């Protein structure tokens, strides 16, 4: 839980360099915990999240094995050609 909280703070902080935020997002996906789904969904919902980080969040969300993650992923992909 401590690692998840740390990665969530790092991913959300605009004061952290982009590469650090991307690594934190990757880590949240690898933790594959319900809290990871919440944190990644929050990044996607935040209009201030840079596009490259949002893309990383979608990829990380696909790694989280939780119903909330699947729901958020479906929502994020609506209207996106793939």
């Amino acid at each position: 839980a401590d690692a998840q909280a740390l990665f969530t703070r790092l991913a959300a902080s605009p004061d952290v360099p982009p590469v650090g935020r991307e690594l934190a997002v990757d880590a949240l996906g690898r933790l594959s915990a319900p809290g990871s789904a919440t944190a990644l969904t929050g990044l996607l919902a935040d209009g201030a999240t840079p596009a490259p980080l949002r893309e990383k969040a979608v990829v990380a969300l696909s790694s989280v094995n939780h119903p909330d993650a699947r729901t958020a992923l479906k929502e994020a992909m609506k209207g996106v050609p793939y």
Side-chain angles (χ1 to χ4, degrees):
D2 290 337
Q4 183 177 321
L6 173 63
F7 293 138
T8 298
R9 282 194 310 274
L10 291 171
S13 176
D15 296 330
V16 173
V19 70
R21 293 180 76 184
E22 290 175 6
L23 290 170
V25 164
D26 287 342
L28 286 168
R30 291 175 192 270
L31 287 174
S32 192
S36 293
T38 302
L40 294 167
T41 302
L43 282 174
L44 290 173
D46 184 354
T49 301
L53 190 60
R54 291 172 59 90
E55 291 173 13
K56 282 271 194 190
V58 168
V59 171
L61 200 53
S62 72
S63 299
V64 178
N65 186 17
H66 190 271
D68 291 347
R70 289 187 287 279
T71 301
L73 193 55
K74 287 179 190 173
E75 190 63 33
M77 297 306 292
K78 277 186 180 174
V80 177
Y82 52 93

